[in-house]
Each structure stands twice: as C-alpha cells, then as structure tokens.
Amino acid sequence: MKRWMSRELTFKPNQKQERFLKAKARYVAFGGARGGGKSWAIDTKAILMVNRWPGIKILIVRRTLVELRNNHIDPLKQQLNGLAKWNQQERKFIFPNGSTIAFEYYDSERDSFKYQGVQYHVIFVDEATQMPEEWLKIIASCCRSVDEIPKRIYYTCNPGGPGHQYIKRLFIDRKFRENENPDDYVFIQSLVTENKVLMEYSPDYIKFLEALPPHLKKGWLYGDWNIAEGMYFDGFRDNPEGYDTRKWTHVINPFTPPRTWPIYRSHDWGSAKPSSTGWWACDENGVLYRIYELYTVEYSGADPIPDKGTKWTPDQLYAEIARIEREHPWLAGKKVTGVADPAIWQAETGISFAETAAKHGVYFTPGDHKRIPGWMQMQYRLMFDEEGFPQMYVFKGCKNWIRTIPTLEHDPHNPEDVLTTGEDHAADETRYLCQMRTCKPPKVDDAEGDIDWTSDPLEQMARRRSRA
Ligand SMILES: Nc1ncnc2c1ncn2[C@@H]1O[C@H](COP(=O)(O)OP(=O)(O)O)[C@@H](O)[C@H]1O
Ligand SMILES: [Mg+2]
C-alpha cells in the first residue's frame, strides 16, 4: 500500500466493492442499482492501480463535466492532497511514480474527438448506461498500449439509460458476438443495501428509492434489468367498475370545479401531428384534475390509430383555445396559467407559435424540457396512496388522454424514457405541467420535508459535498 505514498490512505470497502477492487477481467461491470458505492469504488481502485503499476495511465469518464467534478475530481483532490499534483489544464493527477489519472466527459457527439489518438491502460466509465453503445465503443478504443501494464475497462452502471441494452447484453444476458470472449466479461452486482456507509449517513436515500414509480424502483432499488418491458404508465387505471368512485382509479365523472381552484392549461404543438391541449383544475391538496381537452385529431375508431397530420393552422388553434376559455362554463372569467412545449417559441418562419397564441390572448410559460424527471413527476401523481387516492385525475370526457396514455411504451434504447414514436402528445403536455407543479410521491414519511423530490438526492449530495 505504501510504495509511493507518503501517508497511508485507508480504505474499507464493503464485500462487493472488495470484489470489484480485486477484479482482473478485461471488462468488468459493477453496480446495477443506485447508491451501491460505485463512484467510490472507481476512485479507490484507480488509486490502488496507480500504486501497483508505476507509469500507468488511467482515465475516468463520466457523461458531464459537472458530474465528473462532483463525484470524482473534487473528492480525489481532498484525498490526494500532498500525494499527487493536480494539473488543471490537462485535467489530471500526476503521481511521483509517473502514473496519471485523467478525467474526461462525453456528453454529445461533438465530444468524440477527445478520444481520437489517445491511449490509456485502464479506463473507468462511471454510469456507463448513460451513454449509447457507439460512445462506449469509442471510449473503449482508447484502451491500448504495448507494455506489460494491464489493459482493462471498468464500467459502473444502473439499469436504464441509452447504454442499457448494450451493458445488459454483455454482462447480464451474456449474449456474445464474434470476437467477444465470454471470459473477458465479469459483472459484480452491488445494491444500495450493501452500501452500509450510505445507509447509515443518508437513510433518506433509501426513502427516495422506495418511493419511486414501479419500473424505476425495480431498476434502481432492486437492480432488475427487465425494466423496458410493458406499458410505460403501468400505474394508470381506468376503472371498469364505473366512474363514481375516486379510489384506485384515475378516470372519474366530471364535476364543476370550485371557483377558488386554480386552472392550468398545458399544451403541445404538433406540426405534422396532433396538437394536444389540456385544462386542469387543482384542489386544495394540490391534486390535479384534467377537466377538458382539445386534441386536433379525432379518434375515428380505426385500428391502427391514425396519427395523421392536423389540418389546423396555429391561428385557428389558438383562436379556438381562446374561444373555449371565453365560453366554457368551467373556464369563463377565470385566470388560466399556461405551460407549453418550449419549441413553440422557435421562430423559424418569422413568427413563433407562442406569438400567434399571444395575439389571441393565450399565454404560456416555457415548459421544462427534462424528460426523465418530468415523467417521474407524472408517475408520482399516478401512484395511489394507501387508501387508493392518486394525485391526478382525468374527467372521463378527456378521451384522447385516456386513449393514448396506456399505449405508450418504454424506449428500448433508454428504458426510463417514453418511446417518442408513440402517440405521446397528451403525455408530453401533461409532463410539462407536472414539472411546473411538482409533487412528492405518496406513502413517504417525509415529516421533515427535507427531501427534494425533483432529482436524485445522491447527486444533490455530491453537489453539496463538492461546494463545501
Ligand atoms: N467503502 C466506503 N467507505 C466510505 N464511504 C463510502 C464507501 N462506499 C461508498 N461510500 C460513500 O457512500 C456514498 C455513495 O457512494 P457512491 O460511490 O457515490 O455511490 P454510487 O456511485 O453507486 O451512486 C458516497 O458519499 C461515498 O463516498
Ligand atoms: Mg456515483
């Protein structure tokens, strides 16, 4: 442990981390769930390899620079203070024995040039499933050199994300292709429950995982890789018993919303596709009711469902929205807060849809475009509490919402996301509203109210640690 170190570093890995630290296969995947101590294991293994192999060139890759800093660079700077020199320009640590640990991110196609003509002995890709197969292959192509130092690639991963299918094929299903030697691939699973440090210091994190919508809980808490199957909104219930009850159902009989309840309008414009607009009332508890909708293609009952273009011009559509809000008894005279696809502010043809809408007195704020957190918010609303009450209802007249939501599937290339080739317009506008008016999941004991339910608390923690 002390070949080059002037002071002793102490590492106490848990059992699974220890297996990772000892793993010597050409490709090792570690994790399979959230909070399993993956980033910690990468940093620790990198230090151990620096110590074992003088002159080793190590690369740590993560999707974004911010995540790279929060999860690796900043913690390592503290740990290696006095043991290694930090070169800010080249973003790497240089050790007295000639070894280096460099850091790189890969966030878009444009970043591929960083991986041309560079060589490393060992590459760690943290949260590898956040990157598509092609990027992972480009990164892997940098793992080469002609000396006795081992050449290896270590991935950490969770189910879900654009790299899900690739990592699953190699390490879970073990369906190998030509030139892939099965002995080169080792998977070590680590669940959050095995990360005793986290369980002890951050019990909130387990609360977050336990309260997740079903498919995410399957993947992130239990490390189940079969999360891409079935319908996306598998929690949606259109109660066949009738619409009188509010329990264990999302579809209900209409009622006149009290005048005091705020009204929202969510909107997704489709140029070649239908436009979808929903009106929502919000009760004292923050529960949303989709009371009315305007969908520019009527379902004719044909199968397959035609997703044919809309004949409406923007002018006609926003005039109709304005008319509905003037004349509909639930809406007339009420202030309506609008949220819409941020794309309607683009003005390629001179005047944006948002401007056209404004001409008719129909105003929107731009919706938050982040898809996964948006879907998560929508899923939280659909989940039932112990007594069977959800945080979102739909009046039974909103038939396009009720028809399209159950048809949506997981994107096989990014299972936490909805497949965008589906009829997703009603879902999209609903997502913008859910992101604007966030809620917390049911069944959580969050008395202190200190969990921020809009993003992963572990990442929030890493950000805080990094700022400290
Ligand atoms: N063996 C360990 N000893 C001390 N702290 C650890 C250990 N394993 C993990 N941690 C800490 O637990 C938290 C979560 O671990 P992390 O590696 O970030 O999880 P993951 O990357 O799997 O989400 C971090 O604060 C990390 O420093
Ligand atoms: Mg991590």
Side-chain angles (χ1 to χ4, degrees):
M1 204 44 226
K2 272 191 284 186
R3 278 172 219 214
W4 51 268
M5 293 182 189
S6 53
R7 101 174 164 247
E8 185 137 20
L9 291 175
T10 48
F11 306 108
K12 283 207 195 70
N14 64 41
Q15 253 181 359
K16 294 298 177 64
Q17 287 172 329
E18 189 173 334
R19 273 183 62 200
F20 177 75
L21 297 181
K22 289 180 176 163
K24 291 199 172 108
R26 174 101 167 95
Y27 302 95
V28 177
F30 181 57
R34 290 274 175 133
K38 302 184 300 289
S39 301
W40 184 94
I42 284 186
D43 294 353
T44 305
K45 180 141 186 125
I47 294 174
L48 292 174
M49 292 198 86
V50 159
N51 192 44
R52 169 70 183 80
W53 300 97
I56 195 171
K57 288 180 70 182
I58 294 175
L59 175 69
I60 298 179
V61 186
R62 180 95 190 216
R63 174 117 192 189
T64 68
L65 180 58
V66 176
E67 292 167 320
L68 203 52
R69 269 201 215 114
N70 293 347
N71 291 281
H72 300 284
I73 298 176
D74 288 350
L76 277 173
K77 270 186 185 168
Q78 289 187 0
Q79 225 178 340
L80 295 173
N81 186 17
L83 298 175
K85 270 212 297 269
W86 171 247
N87 182 327
Q88 177 65 38
Q89 197 128 46
E90 295 178 30
R91 215 185 286 126
K92 69 181 179 192
F93 289 106
I94 303 164
F95 295 82
N97 69 356
S99 302
T100 53
I101 302 178
F103 301 85
E104 201 52 89
Y105 58 95
Y106 203 150
D107 198 18
S108 77
E109 303 289 347
R110 287 194 309 270
D111 295 321
S112 69
F113 76 93
K114 297 171 179 168
Y115 303 90
Q116 280 159 20
V118 287
Q119 295 187 7
Y120 296 94
H121 297 103
V122 171
I123 299 177
F124 295 94
V125 187
D126 196 16
E127 299 294 355
T129 39
Q130 310 258 305
M131 295 172 211
E133 174 170 350
E134 307 82 73
W135 299 4
L136 292 172
K137 285 180 169 161
I138 289 173
I139 295 168
S141 70
C142 304
C143 182
R144 63 200 146 92
S145 84
V146 281
D147 50 34
E148 73 298 339
I149 301 178
K151 259 66 71 190
R152 293 188 205 140
I153 298 181
Y154 293 93
Y155 299 110
T156 73
C157 49
N158 300 308
H164 175 94
Q165 297 300 1
Y166 181 59
I167 296 290
K168 180 168 181 278
R169 174 176 75 77
L170 290 171
F171 294 95
I172 310 297
D173 303 338
R174 300 186 66 78
K175 285 193 188 131
F176 296 106
R177 301 199 173 141
E178 227 178 305
N179 302 326
E180 292 169 351
N181 176 6
D183 298 335
D184 283 346
Y185 297 84
V186 168
F187 179 67
I188 301 164
Q189 190 180 55
S190 170
L191 303 178
V192 66
T193 40
E194 283 157 317
N195 186 358
K196 297 287 177 289
V197 187
L198 184 66
M199 297 284 285
E200 193 171 319
Y201 289 104
S202 210
D204 273 358
Y205 195 57
I206 271 280
K207 275 196 217 163
F208 167 77
L209 293 174
E210 278 175 345
L212 284 168
H215 72 282
L216 288 179
K217 184 168 167 180
K218 236 166 94 174
W220 294 0
L221 179 60
Y222 304 123
D224 184 339
W225 288 80
N226 297 314
I227 59 170
E229 276 117 62
M231 60 195 256
Y232 190 87
F233 293 102
D234 52 359
F236 171 62
R237 293 284 172 277
D238 181 357
N239 191 354
E241 312 276 304
Y243 299 107
D244 292 331
T245 174
R246 296 271 176 95
K247 286 190 177 192
W248 308 110
T249 188
H250 298 106
V251 184
I252 56 172
N253 273 327
F255 59 88
T256 302
R259 299 296 294 175
T260 50
W261 291 10
I263 301 284
Y264 297 97
R265 178 204 322 110
S266 56
H267 173 67
D268 183 45
W269 169 267
S271 304
K273 292 175 164 186
S275 295
S276 185
T277 308
W279 284 267
W280 305 78
C282 182
D283 74 12
E284 298 83 4
N285 299 315
V287 174
L288 291 170
Y289 300 77
R290 185 179 179 92
I291 56 176
Y292 195 75
E293 69 180 14
L294 174 66
Y295 200 81
T296 53
V297 173
E298 276 305 317
Y299 175 40
S300 62
D303 194 22
I305 294 157
D307 193 10
K308 63 180 183 226
T310 165
K311 298 250 163 31
W312 298 54
T313 64
D315 220 35
Q316 284 172 320
L317 179 69
Y318 296 113
E320 176 62 4
I321 289 174
R323 188 197 63 78
I324 289 169
E325 290 179 8
R326 259 194 327 270
E327 295 177 9
H328 196 293
W330 297 337
L331 302 171
K334 292 213 55 170
K335 177 180 180 292
V336 179
T337 306
V339 62
D341 182 348
I344 71 164
W345 277 267
Q346 284 163 15
E348 278 140 11
T349 50
I351 173 160
S352 72
F353 297 139
E355 283 172 89
T356 306
K359 272 199 327 204
H360 293 276
V362 173
Y363 301 99
F364 297 99
T365 51
D368 182 339
H369 223 29
K370 288 196 280 311
R371 295 174 62 87
I372 314 282
W375 295 135
M376 227 156 107
Q377 277 296 323
M378 191 166 155
Q379 297 262 22
Y380 283 156
R381 287 203 172 268
L382 291 175
M383 287 162 78
F384 297 106
D385 69 11
E386 261 122 22
E387 291 170 65
F389 295 109
Q391 296 180 78
M392 172 184 283
Y393 289 104
V394 182
F395 284 7
K396 74 174 184 221
C398 298
K399 48 187 198 305
N400 289 292
W401 198 98
I402 296 166
R403 172 179 64 79
T404 57
I405 296 300
T407 65
L408 299 175
E409 295 169 61
H410 295 267
D411 179 349
H413 298 292
N414 192 4
E416 294 132 298
D417 202 349
V418 170
L419 189 62
T420 55
T421 50
E423 201 178 346
D424 54 4
H425 323 296
D428 278 343
E429 34 104 340
T430 305
R431 172 166 55 86
Y432 296 126
L433 176 64
C434 292
Q435 271 289 76
M436 182 168 83
R437 217 182 172 304
T438 56
C439 71
K440 62 180 196 181
K443 297 186 212 172
V444 290
D445 164 28
D446 181 23
E448 302 92 63
D450 53 0
I451 304 181
D452 173 358
W453 292 101
T454 56
S455 69
D456 185 335
L458 209 58
E459 287 303 319
Q460 296 169 28
M461 220 160 71
R463 280 200 295 276
R464 279 200 300 275
R465 193 175 52 215
S466 207
R467 275 199 300 268

